[in-house]
Every structure is written in C-alpha cells, then in structure tokens.
Amino acid sequence: MGIRGLMSYVEDHSNQFFVDLKLRDTKIIIDGYALFHRLCFDSNVDLRHGGDYDSFTDVTQRFFESLFACKVHPYVVLDGGCDVSDKKFLTLKDRAREKIQVAHSLSVGGRGNLLPLLIREVFIQVLNKLHVDFVQCFSEADRDIMTLANHWNCPVLTMDSDFCIFDLKAGFCPLNGFQWKNLTVIKDTLHCYIPARCFSVDKFCSHFNNMNKTLLPLFAVLCGNDYISLPALDTVLNRMSFTPGTSNMKGRKHQRILGLLNWLSNFDDPPEALNTFVKYLKMNDRDVVRELLCGSMEEYQPSPVKLQEFFQLGAYVSPCATNLGLPEWIQLALAKGQLSPFVCDALSLRRTILHTQVENLRRPSAHIVSVSIRKVIYGLLQNFSPDLNNVSQSTVSKQPMAFSEVERIDKNIGTVVTHAVRLSEEYRELGRLTELSLSKRKILLLETLKVKEGILDPIPASLKLPIAVTCFWLQSLEAKVKRYHVQALLMGMLCGQLHKMTSEPDNEGLHVDGAKLLCDQFLKVKENKLQRKLNLDTAHVFCQWQCCLQMGFYLNQLLLTPLPEPDLTWLYSGTLVHGLSQELSTSSSAESILSVCPRARQLYNQLFHALKSAVPSECLSQREKLKAKKKKQRKNDASQTKYRVGVSLGTRSLCDHVSNSFGLLTVDDSED
C-alpha cells in the first residue's frame, strides 16, 4: 500500500519519531518486496542490460550474512498476487505506465529504477540456498506481516509507510536507516550488532496531543493510499485549508499530513471523527464515502492468516484462496514460492500484468514472443476461476477461457485478451495435476517449447530448461535473430559451469586455471560494456529471450518441474551477454574467446549443436549470410578504391602498383 508523502515526513522528523536500535539476538520480519527493491537499486547493480543476476545475488548473500553474524533470525514475507477485490488495479496501471517511462529513460542513457524481469525468482532462489525462512502470501502481505510481528513481538524491516499506521509492538525499521554494512562490535566481547532506527507509533501519537492510535487508519485513508483516491476527499481537505503557503509538492503533502493529524487529534475515536468529516460532503455523497472509508480502514486490522503456523508447522491457510476453491497443493506451492504471483492473478482475476523491460519501445512488447507458452499456462489454470460457479461445466469444456493481459502497447498500457489453449482431457483438472506421471508432464512442457527430449540428453541438467527455452525463442521470433546473439547467450550460460570449476576442490588444476582465465576475460567484457551505448535492437532480442525464459520457468513450475529448475544467478548477466554480442558482431569468434578453457569450449559446442539439431537451419544461418554479404561489400569497396586511385593518377599500371602495395585488393575470409 503506502500513504503519499508520509515516509518522507516522518524521516524529516526522525529525532521525534524514531529510537536508536542495536539489533542482535532477535527475530525480525522482513518485507521481502521492499528488500529486493532496495538491494537492487542501492547496490550499483546494472539495470540497463536486463539484469546482472550474479551481482544481485552477491549483495543479497552479504545482507543475510550480516544478519547471521549478529544472530538475527530473519523471516521474509513476500507479497503474492493482486487483491481479489481488485481495488488497487488503477494504482497498478499507473505504476505500469510509470515503469514504461523509466524503461524509456534507461534505454536512451537516462536515469531510473526498473527491476530486471527475473529478479524476484533470483531472490527466492537465494533465500532457498541460504536456508532463510520465507513465505509468499496469497495477496498483499502487509497485514500478515503486522500480525506475525505482533505475535512474536519483534520488529519489521520495510520501506512501506503503512507500517507507520499499524500498531506494532516492537516498531519497524526503515531499510534506508538499517546499517547492515556497518556491523558494530560490542566492547570487550566477540558479539556484534546492526545499528538501526526504529519508528515508534507511541512517540508519533504523543507528538500529536496524545492522539488515539485507532485514529491512524482513518488518517491513512483520508490522506490517500493505494486503495483510495476520491476527488471528493481532495475537495473537502482543500476546504479545510490543510495545504497553505507552499508551492513545493513535498511541502504541500507534508502540510496536508500535518493538518490532518492535528485535526484528528481533537477526536476521541474514529466514529466521532468520521461523522464530523462526512458533514463536509454533499448529502448524497455521505453514505457512499463513509462506506468506502470504513472498508479501506479494514486494511489496517489484524489478518486472519497465521503465518507462525506456516513457519512452525508448514501449514498455510488463506481464507481468500480457500474461498476460491483452489487445490491444496496449489495453495502450499504458492506459499513456498514454488509458483509465481502471475499464477495467483490468473487464478483469481483471470488477468495478468506483463512487466516492461528496457527494450526497444518502438517495437511491439517483448512479451508477444512468449504468448503461446502463456496460453498453455492458462489452459492448465482455466478450470479455476472466481466465476466458475456461474458457468456450466459443458460451457467450460467447449469454450477456452479468456484471460486479460495488461502489457505495453507503444508507450502506454493496454489490455489484450488472450484465450487459453484447449488441452487434452488428462491436463484439464488442476487438482489432479500432481497425479500425472513425470513423462506426461514433461511431454506437455517440451511440446509447448517445440523441442524433442532426445535433443536435451547430452545437456547438463541445470541447462536443459534454458536450452529448451532457447529453442522455442529461436522458432518464435518474427525477425530472425543474429548468430552472434545466440552465441553470446550460450557463452553467458557457461558462467555456472565456470563457477563450479573454480570453486570445487576436486577439479584438476589445468581446468581450474583455464576457467579462471575465462572468468577474467568475461569480467573485462562486463566492465567494458558498462561504458558503451545500449544497442536497442540487441536489447530487444535479449528481452524477448528473458520473456520466454520467464514463462518457460513458470510452466515448468506449474507442471511440478519435469525439468530441473536452473540456477538463474549464473544463467544471465546482461552486461556480459551484451558485451559478448558486441565483440562477436565485430572481430572476435566464440572459439577464440573460449580457447583458454577447453572444457568450457566443449560444453559450448554441445549447447550449440543441440540448438542446430532442434531448430530449422535458417534460424542459425545468419552468420554465413552476413559473411557473404560483407565479403561482397569489401570487394566492391576495393574495386571502387582502385578505380578512384586510377582516375586520379591517370594510368592503370600505376593504379595496380599502388593498390597492390597497400593491400587494397586483399579480402579477409576468416570468420568475423
């Protein structure tokens, strides 16, 4: 959620509303959504080239290692899908529009913060590797976080201003004041703590004439949060003169906050204040506004979901998910982060939001390329919908269900209707999907990705799904991809294997040395790429690949991972892949780059051979066409040069002499 301007207001008055905290030997509830945003945006992780997931993983690991060093036990709580009531949809569309503008800014060299497409999945994988306790709620997590924190009497770590409204027993620590990089050792001991600031709702209310804490939810909805924005409220608040004497936007927001809090402090409880407020409205608006405000205030009450039972017993019960009639295995997989919020939205709303990347905004959305995978996902989910009780089974079986997809259209947001694919009978019952054999689940996955299982046999387990997705990507693009794009992607996939070679003690010294040399070369490529201008066409191609990977990843999860889940940390590094693409398009060859590490070169050849075996030849023939075109162009250029020299000197023999002396007729037929 979030109250506009509140966080900056309380931080401007931090001495009045915050207490210093030395965090150690305690539980802490972490707002996972806020954390991975903060770690991504505040750690110099590249955002322009589609995500450096290895760099993000590194900073995330260091964050949790700091907590472990201070014996702080983290419990991470992640948001799930959109609220079933859909009352936040307009806010979500506004944010999606803003992200398109940010994507445009980043694409032309400007500034902005935009999450890479797979950052959430990478974050969850890191939590699993580090054995950090976490849960993914069915929808918005704020109330669940507040309820759990009060049950355990421990602080919350977040950046959401709504936590200034919740009555938290142990308060909350803003992430921007959480000094996890500056551990402090306690004098004469081996113990350390994390310096932090903790917001105190008691100090906040005492500052405003000892205001009743139960008035804070009314303050939040009157001030305006993500769930409510009424022109009638703005009209009343302006008449109450809460924004005098400032033209600055921040100043106007702060004046409104200050005025509302001072006004509310005159009342004993919410009903009294609400009755007074609605008197400022027109008579025919009062009941509607009162009902809306009361409904919005419920968002600040304790949650019926008991997350402690999930963390202690592994049981997760969401009344909302239960009311939808979702299978138990789906509910538990969602809670464990084994299914995406994308699935939540498709199940509960029949609508999904496709997030914009730093792509070529003059071209259609990169997500279009993966639409056939999404249709299969919708086909698996279509028998579970809020409206299913109103639709006969015969109608469901005859008509594929329609799903709305919110995505970028040019530089704005639009909604596209996409119909689920009609699957064979054995795949139609979501509740019985767990009963299907591994072979049947794998058949559906591989058929969707347009690849035969035998093609993947020689591929390492961790790369089977990425290679299958790459086969799909190559066959689904309208414009054929350049060969060097494919080579760059495959070379980027080698990073995980190089990491194993350099970190596992049993590897032979020769292989380790070669792997280290190749890692050093890759590092130089990444560093050089940071100084170069973004090639939008190349960026769009790799964005399309990530869209295919994302949906292939989701489908694999929904089918209970018939292919091993790849380690996304080592699968794609945007600056590396873009840099390799640039080098391969000009002078270098894949063979020359990989020559320092024979084992990596061997794996690369396996991957490339698998692609050549799986896709039509024209999908990978661009390099040869490009070579022939360049060769012809160089011959033409040389002939023109010879002609110009001959004309200027007036004799053919002298022209031949000069051209041969300077190599004007020499053509390099080696691979570009």
Side-chain angles (χ1 to χ4, degrees), residues 585-586 625-635 637 667 672:
S585 70
T586 53
K625 292 179 182 178
L626 185 65
K627 281 176 60 180
K629 184 177 180 180
K630 285 186 175 181
K631 182 176 180 179
K632 183 178 180 181
Q633 184 64 45
R634 281 195 294 265
K635 286 182 177 179
D637 290 346
V667 177
D672 295 313

Side-chain angles (χ1 to χ4, degrees), residues 156-168:
V156 172
L157 184 63
T158 183
M159 273 306 294
D160 193 332
S161 56
D162 276 309
F163 286 88
C164 297
I165 306 303
F166 292 127
D167 186 9
L168 291 166

Side-chain angles (χ1 to χ4, degrees), residues 50-57 116-119 122 546 568-569 572:
D52 276 357
Y53 297 122
D54 51 349
S55 301
F56 173 75
T57 294
L117 191 64
L118 298 171
I119 204 77
V122 174
Q546 280 211 67
L568 298 174
T569 292
Y572 183 85

Side-chain angles (χ1 to χ4, degrees), residues 306-358:
K306 299 178 180 179
L307 291 183
Q308 65 271 19
E309 293 183 356
F310 175 80
F311 287 122
Q312 294 168 346
L313 305 173
Y316 180 84
V317 179
S318 164
C320 183
T322 302
N323 291 339
L324 287 172
L326 298 184
E328 188 175 332
W329 80 266
I330 286 281
Q331 295 188 48
L332 193 57
L334 286 167
K336 291 181 176 180
Q338 295 167 352
L339 290 174
S340 165
F342 176 91
V343 172
C344 279
D345 290 343
L347 284 167
S348 60
L349 297 169
R350 279 189 290 167
R351 188 198 66 228
T352 56
I353 298 176
L354 307 176
H355 298 286
T356 300
Q357 304 172 78
V358 183

